[in-house]
Amino acid sequence: VSSVEKRRWTLNDFDIGKPLGRGKFGHVYLAREKRSNHIVALKVLFKSQLQQSQVEHQLRREVEIQSHLRHPNILRLYGYFYDQKRVYLILEYAAKGELYKELQKCKYFSERRSATYVASLARALIYCHGKHVIHRDIKPENLLIGAQGELKIADFGWSVHTFNRRRTMCGTLDYLPPEMVESVEHDASVDIWSLGVLCYEFLYGVPPFEAKEHSDTYRRIVQVDLKFPPKPIVSSAAKDLISQMLVKDSSQRLPLHKLLEHPWIVQNAEPS
Ligand SMILES: O=C(O)c1cc(-c2cccc(F)c2)nc2ccccc12
Ligand SMILES: [Mg+2]
């Protein structure tokens, strides 16, 4: 696989197989790299669509970030190439498909399955945050399941590489305008919140702040209107963990390494 990264790829390097899914910007196909017989997922994006939606820079950032990440719970991006009309991403093939379809099928997951997923995602996010990468889009639609049932974070389309202004600007904060100096927009703790929402949805089958209208969902989020339904029955340990993650003050959210020591995770997650 190491050879997979460096090469200048063209479509002729691959045998194209069945379509795996449709995205907004194009399709994903099963493919086999001819020399190595390596099975991959080939994501085909139309340049015209990317230009129309003005996401070219986002795609380049996604490729840049994901191609440098190596973690068992992060989908590998081996490389990319493009021709006149399309951009092609050479991605790891996740044999058991999309998590959101599995969640729809099962309605909700057991506490053991949920805790195992949450623990693996926490480890992947600890790895990302260690590299100053925030995903910012953790949700069932962006999670895939590998051949051994392990979760893989895909789609770094909304991820950002945060830089510590103090370190990069080496003390010349003076020239930054207020909105940049106090840029409170977010730090890595946004992923802790999203993981808490995901944990709730794994256990109950619906996200915690769901409402008919967007305006109602918005209000429920900002008020942290967190309610646990009577059914399905969920342990108080699970509710305790979720309550420590869905905290309005981002600095008060349970840090990811503490999550891995939480009793609910320790007692329910399969050893990695
Ligand atoms: O014609 C190009 O040079 C082109 C290159 C890339 C591109 C280059 C590296 C990585 C990546 F993900 C995408 N994206 C595009 C999107 C729309 C239109 C043109 C392009
Ligand atoms: Mg996505």
Side-chain angles (χ1 to χ4, degrees), residues 72-73 92-99 102 109 112-114 116-118 120-121 123 143-152 202 270:
N73 301 111
E92 176 184 357
Y93 171 54
K96 289 194 172 161
E98 299 177 271
L99 179 93
E102 179 68 14
F109 296 144
R112 294 179 66 77
R113 182 170 185 179
S114 302
T116 303
Y117 283 162
V118 168
S120 61
L121 293 174
R123 287 193 297 272
L143 301 174
L144 297 173
I145 307 174
Q148 273 73 42
E150 75 281 18
L151 268 202
K152 306 244 177 200
F202 285 163
E270 304 290 334

Side-chain angles (χ1 to χ4, degrees), residues 43 135 137 139 141-142 154-158:
K43 192 170 190 177
H135 189 278
D137 198 15
K139 58 186 178 185
E141 294 79 1
N142 289 341
D155 193 341
F156 277 72
W158 283 102

